Amino acid sequence: MTTSPENMIEIKSLYKKFGKIQALNNLNLNIKKGELLGIIGHNGAGKTTTIRIISCILHPDKGTVLVNNLNIKEKPIEIKSMIGYLPEEPNLYERFTAYDLLKYFGELYNVPSKTLDKRIDELLELVNMSDRKHDKINTFSKGLRQRIGIARSLIHDPEIIIFDEPTMGLDPATASSIRNFILTLKGKKTILLCTHYMEEADLLCDRVAIINHGEILDIDTPKNLKSKIHGDLILNIELKKDVETEKLNKIKNIDGAENIELMDNTLTVSLSSEDLISKIITILDNNIKSVNTKKPTLNDVFIQRIKNEQ
Amino acid sequence: MARWTISKWELKNTLESKKFLTIFLAQLVVLFIMGSFFTSFMTSIESEDGINLNPSLKGFGSLDINDSDGLFTKNIDSEILKIKKANTTSYESLKNSEINGLINIKKDNKTQKMDYNLILDYSDPKSIVVKSEVESTSNKTSKIITQEFINKNKTTNSNNEVKEETKGVSIPVQLINKIMTALLLFLPVFLFGNLVIDSIVGEKERKTGEILIAMPISRSNIILGKSLGIICIMAIQLFLWIIIMTIIGFDLVSPALIYLLIILTAIPIVGVGTVVAVYSKNYKESEIGSNFAYLVLVIILIIPALASIIRPGFGTSSTITLVIKIFSKESLSLRDIFNPIITVVVVSIITYGLSIWMYNKDEIIFGPRPKIIKSLLKFLRINKIINKIKR
């Protein structure tokens, strides 16, 4: 099996089991060169297992993973050299200084000693930590650790960068600065981003894959995912009293109205066009307490997709 | 290349750690004190006065002696036994437990033959000491009579002179010296053997192991690189220790050869540590595991060395045995040299092989971790045989 020229990573029929738990179940995924692909899924969905297998940290039970046309089973060392991996928690050597840490990993990545010091300075500048070069890691805040973790993952100027929950547990300002940093890498590197934060995936990713129970449920651009499932907008109508079945069926029969849900006297409908709002309001007549609309988010897509699966 | 990088940084970080340096220096000081005490102990034990390890027996018992010649009475230790000339009431006194023994000595002046008749009350617990003291005095007296006999009959030709000469120290003292010196030499290796556990388990506790595995380096090289770093630290510690021992006054035969042998021994010792470290989930587990590791090392190294002392020719598999033999300046057979080397190689292959095999298993690193026995059966491929039999 070979990768198509536009694909940097190709995963076919991937399986992985931990004891009795099936972590990955026939997972298929392609990541294009220079693409920023997001993987979203709840805890235990298989995100981290997938990226650990791509990073050659875990061995798959079955299936094929090609990274830049190299098979992870045959060329793990070469593949590891191409990847910059940032785990969920940066987990750094506490007693090291920022400089020592980057030097250690630079040497492990075989970065030539002549260019290593220059590269360290560049990266520290990039993550705004030049002034903390000789400070020990155990004096850094969580945000600074994450930044130095990012610098560590970029020390060998990798072609592929894998970020596992890079903004997890960070304050909004630090999370935002890290997102902006990831945006500066967009297009230059192939990036795989695992996240819980849907707005982060929406903001950063070219495409988003929804993973559940170890398999990809859907993969597309955030825009397409949203329109595929929720159309243009989501309409929420708070009702005065229960709606009659006849009226509800009328709404269901409207072309372009989908995902109709009635819960606690609140009717939620995904609409393909704003024009359909008036039609629904007419059907419900004077049973309406309040009306609001919102643009669908990836979060709505994710919840709906998981719901559909169940 | 990456393996050396890991070894280099392992060495650098350990030597730069203030905590390690404190322990390192403290151990050297403790070893120095131990060594100093031991050398002064050996000096005392080898001296004329010697060291009496028994509890004081001063005035322990009483003995009535019927000794016409007086030679026996002269040589018996009157500090341990209160000596009195035997008389007609002596036997009665023994029966009444007023004295602890009665001895009648007859000496044939013509043949110099000396017979003695010792009467003891065996229900008296002190009788054993009295008997032992009488026997030792008898031997001493016998030696004196023999020497007198030799002197009396010696010819004028000095070449035929019979001479009794005492040279060197007794065999038990020599043995204590050799065994203790060998064990003191090996001590730093035992003390630092668990450093590798700290290094590998530390990566698990800090969760830095995941990043390390993500580096372009094989897992076997991570294990070997870390082990090599620890062996280098041991080599430094041992080098300093040998210098200290020499300064204290230990007579180390072939120190360079001994140094190499101990470093060679450090390889399987660290190997046993890596097995414990790779399997342990955390420090707590590794502490239990290191007790097991020490047990293995005692079986591999110390028991054979002790066996070789009890029965020469036994226990040649231990490098400690070889070191003791080098100290003894004994001629070494091929078996003496190759057996410990083969043991070191075999134990190293098994321990590092097992460590690397385990470190390559996702379930050992990320869980759920299989049971020890199940893992061992898998490693030895016995599970396949069992499965075949089951089928």
Side-chain angles (χ1 to χ4, degrees):
Chain A
M1 183 183 147
T2 53
T3 44
S4 74
E6 74 268 20
N7 284 340
M8 182 58 104
I9 299 168
E10 272 190 31
I11 302 173
K12 276 226 165 137
S13 308
L14 196 62
Y15 290 85
K16 179 72 184 175
K17 211 173 180 180
F18 292 105
K20 288 175 184 168
I21 297 162
Q22 190 71 49
L24 297 183
N25 189 17
N26 192 22
L27 186 129
N28 294 282
L29 182 68
N30 293 332
I31 304 165
K32 291 171 193 157
K33 275 182 186 161
E35 181 182 34
L36 201 167
L37 180 95
I39 301 183
I40 56 173
H42 53 62
N43 291 331
K47 304 186 297 284
T48 302
T49 305
T50 307
I51 58 173
R52 278 181 174 166
I53 289 176
I54 297 169
S55 310
C56 306
I57 294 170
L58 283 176
H59 306 101
D61 295 338
K62 232 162 72 177
T64 316
V65 179
L66 297 180
V67 178
N68 205 12
N69 226 1
L70 300 173
N71 193 316
I72 58 158
K73 284 180 188 166
E74 291 157 9
K75 303 276 179 192
I77 305 292
E78 288 84 343
I79 290 171
K80 283 174 179 183
S81 304
M82 283 182 228
I83 295 174
Y85 172 58
L86 180 75
E88 189 175 329
E89 281 179 50
N91 305 324
L92 306 165
Y93 295 92
E94 297 285 316
R95 281 190 286 117
F96 279 40
T97 62
Y99 171 80
D100 276 346
L101 184 97
L102 296 177
K103 193 165 172 81
Y104 175 46
F105 283 99
E107 285 181 12
L108 282 175
Y109 276 118
N110 284 324
V111 177
S113 53
K114 281 180 188 171
T115 54
L116 185 55
D117 275 354
K118 199 179 156 211
R119 179 79 185 145
I120 291 170
D121 288 337
E122 277 171 10
L123 284 169
L124 288 172
E125 184 77 44
L126 206 66
V127 293
N128 276 328
M129 284 186 68
S130 297
D131 54 332
R132 306 296 300 267
K133 184 177 174 180
H134 296 292
D135 289 351
K136 286 199 171 180
I137 305 288
N138 57 17
T139 64
F140 292 172
S141 65
K142 197 170 179 186
L144 288 180
R145 280 164 198 248
Q146 197 67 333
R147 284 200 225 166
I148 202 75
I150 291 173
R152 183 202 58 74
S153 65
L154 299 174
I155 189 74
H156 56 305
D157 196 15
E159 289 173 61
I160 303 160
I161 303 166
I162 296 176
F163 291 131
D164 191 5
E165 311 280 1
T167 56
M168 179 91 154
L170 299 180
D171 64 79
T174 313
S176 168
S177 77
I178 287 175
R179 282 180 199 129
N180 288 336
F181 179 74
I182 294 171
L183 277 174
T184 63
L185 300 170
K186 198 173 171 179
K188 296 172 197 160
K189 308 276 178 192
T190 304
I191 303 171
L192 185 56
L193 173 75
C194 277
T195 182
H196 269 116
Y197 302 123
M198 304 300 160
E199 68 277 19
E200 186 171 277
D202 202 354
L203 173 80
L204 300 174
C205 300
D206 297 317
R207 283 194 306 156
V208 172
I210 301 169
I211 188 169
N212 192 36
H213 296 308
E215 56 182 327
I216 302 290
L217 297 182
D218 211 339
I219 180 165
D220 214 325
T221 61
K223 195 181 168 202
N224 286 349
L225 278 175
K226 283 182 271 187
S227 63
K228 241 198 278 187
I229 294 173
H230 287 291
D232 262 4
L233 77 161
I234 298 170
L235 173 70
N236 280 306
I237 303 172
E238 203 182 341
L239 303 164
K240 287 178 185 166
K241 55 179 185 184
D242 268 355
V243 65
E244 296 89 348
T245 321
E246 188 195 336
K247 287 182 178 175
L248 201 61
N249 286 336
K250 268 188 184 173
I251 296 168
K252 280 180 184 169
N253 288 333
I254 296 172
D255 205 19
E258 276 178 48
N259 304 322
I260 298 154
E261 261 186 57
L262 181 65
M263 199 183 277
D264 301 331
N265 276 358
T266 302
L267 183 72
T268 309
V269 188
S270 302
L271 299 175
S272 60
S273 153
E274 277 182 29
D275 305 338
L276 298 173
I277 298 172
S278 58
K279 270 190 181 178
I280 292 170
I281 288 172
T282 316
I283 293 168
L284 292 169
D285 200 13
N286 56 357
N287 190 15
I288 295 167
K289 204 172 172 185
S290 67
V291 175
N292 72 63
T293 59
K294 67 164 189 169
K295 284 273 175 197
T297 62
L298 259 186
N299 201 37
D300 299 315
V301 175
F302 178 71
I303 291 167
Q304 193 58 51
R305 199 63 186 82
I306 299 291
K307 221 181 252 176
N308 292 349
E309 195 60 25
Q310 284 163 353
Chain B
M1 179 65 192
R3 185 196 304 169
W4 305 122
T5 306
I6 288 190
S7 303
K8 186 183 88 179
W9 281 84
E10 193 70 45
L11 192 63
K12 181 179 179 284
N13 290 323
T14 311
L15 294 179
E16 278 177 0
S17 154
K18 280 179 193 156
K19 204 162 80 183
F20 170 79
L21 282 178
T22 313
I23 297 168
F24 187 84
L25 292 172
Q27 282 183 351
L28 280 180
V29 171
V30 170
L31 289 172
F32 178 80
I33 295 167
M34 275 174 67
S36 302
F37 275 129
F38 179 68
T39 44
S40 46
F41 168 74
M42 288 314 293
T43 314
S44 305
I45 216 168
E46 287 165 16
S47 71
E48 286 287 312
D49 302 332
I51 285 180
N52 189 358
L53 297 174
N54 295 318
S56 171
L57 293 173
K58 197 173 177 182
F60 184 79
S62 54
L63 178 71
D64 282 10
I65 304 177
N66 183 10
D67 176 15
S68 54
D69 189 51
L71 187 62
F72 191 90
T73 313
K74 199 177 144 191
N75 285 300
I76 198 157
D77 191 340
S78 57
E79 283 215 341
I80 296 174
L81 298 175
K82 200 176 155 194
I83 308 299
K84 217 171 76 194
K85 204 170 174 188
N87 55 38
T88 48
T89 60
S90 292
Y91 187 72
E92 206 53 38
S93 301
L94 179 68
K95 271 169 79 179
N96 295 334
S97 301
E98 287 161 14
I99 59 168
N100 305 106
L102 168 64
I103 186 165
N104 291 309
I105 297 158
K106 278 182 200 164
K107 190 181 169 194
D108 185 338
N109 284 333
K110 201 174 168 187
T111 59
Q112 294 292 318
K113 193 181 167 194
M114 195 167 78
D115 283 330
Y116 66 86
N117 181 21
L118 176 66
I119 305 164
L120 294 168
D121 174 7
Y122 278 99
S123 63
D124 176 8
K126 290 185 178 179
S127 63
I128 299 162
V129 176
V130 175
K131 190 183 174 192
S132 156
E133 199 53 38
V134 166
E135 278 171 356
S136 120
T137 311
S138 164
N139 287 338
K140 208 165 158 187
T141 316
S142 171
K143 272 186 189 171
I144 294 166
I145 295 168
T146 309
Q147 193 61 48
E148 277 174 3
F149 182 80
I150 291 163
N151 291 342
K152 214 168 137 186
N153 294 294
K154 71 176 175 187
T155 60
T156 47
N157 188 347
S158 63
N159 288 340
N160 296 330
E161 193 176 349
V162 179
K163 220 180 195 177
E164 191 182 330
E165 197 177 300
T166 311
K167 197 181 173 187
V169 285
S170 66
I171 287 174
V173 172
Q174 277 186 41
L175 275 176
I176 293 172
N177 199 355
K178 277 181 273 181
I179 296 163
M180 280 304 292
T181 311
L183 289 177
L184 276 174
L185 274 168
F186 277 86
L187 206 55
V189 183
F190 286 111
L191 289 174
F192 279 113
N194 58 355
L195 268 182
V196 74
I197 297 179
D198 183 62
S199 172
I200 295 171
V201 178
E203 299 273 4
K204 290 184 189 180
E205 289 258 337
R206 289 187 300 265
K207 293 178 180 162
T208 44
E210 187 184 345
I211 309 171
L212 203 57
I213 294 172
M215 291 299 109
I217 172 171
S218 67
R219 294 191 192 185
S220 54
N221 275 336
I222 294 174
I223 294 289
L224 295 176
K226 281 189 173 286
S227 303
L228 189 66
I230 302 300
I231 291 167
C232 289
I233 293 163
M234 282 178 167
I236 296 167
Q237 167 86 339
L238 188 65
F239 179 74
L240 293 172
W241 181 221
I242 285 182
I243 290 174
I244 289 175
M245 281 182 80
T246 313
I247 293 167
I248 294 169
F250 279 88
D251 180 23
L252 300 179
V253 183
S254 315
L257 179 64
I258 300 286
Y259 180 73
L260 282 177
L261 275 172
I262 300 173
I263 297 297
L264 193 70
T265 314
I267 299 170
I269 289 178
V270 173
V272 173
T274 56
V275 174
V276 172
V278 170
Y279 189 78
S280 301
K281 256 195 274 187
N282 47 39
Y283 283 126
K284 202 178 168 189
E285 267 194 16
S286 69
E287 276 171 25
I288 301 164
S290 54
N291 289 336
F292 165 76
Y294 279 119
L295 203 69
V296 171
L297 297 179
V298 167
I299 293 168
I300 296 170
L301 291 169
I302 297 176
I303 290 177
L306 294 175
S308 76
I309 292 157
I310 297 160
R311 284 192 83 165
F314 271 53
T316 50
S317 59
S318 167
T319 40
I320 299 182
T321 311
L322 181 57
V323 168
I324 292 172
K325 285 193 172 178
I326 293 169
F327 283 154
S328 312
K329 294 175 186 166
E330 284 177 33
S331 58
L332 298 170
S333 65
L334 280 177
R335 196 168 150 242
D336 290 332
I337 298 164
F338 283 113
N339 277 6
I341 292 172
I342 288 167
T343 307
V344 163
V345 172
V346 169
V347 176
S348 300
I349 289 171
I350 293 172
T351 52
Y352 288 103
L354 180 60
S355 307
I356 291 165
W357 180 82
M358 286 198 294
Y359 206 57
N360 272 309
K361 298 273 167 203
D362 292 341
E363 58 267 34
I364 299 274
I365 309 291
F366 298 99
R369 198 181 48 169
K371 297 262 185 282
I372 300 175
I373 303 291
K374 206 175 170 187
S375 297
L376 278 174
L377 291 179
K378 248 186 173 181
F379 174 66
L380 299 168
R381 294 174 199 278
I382 294 173
N383 64 323
K384 280 191 179 175
I385 300 166
I386 293 170
N387 286 341
K388 269 186 187 173
I389 294 167
K390 274 184 183 173
R391 268 184 234 150

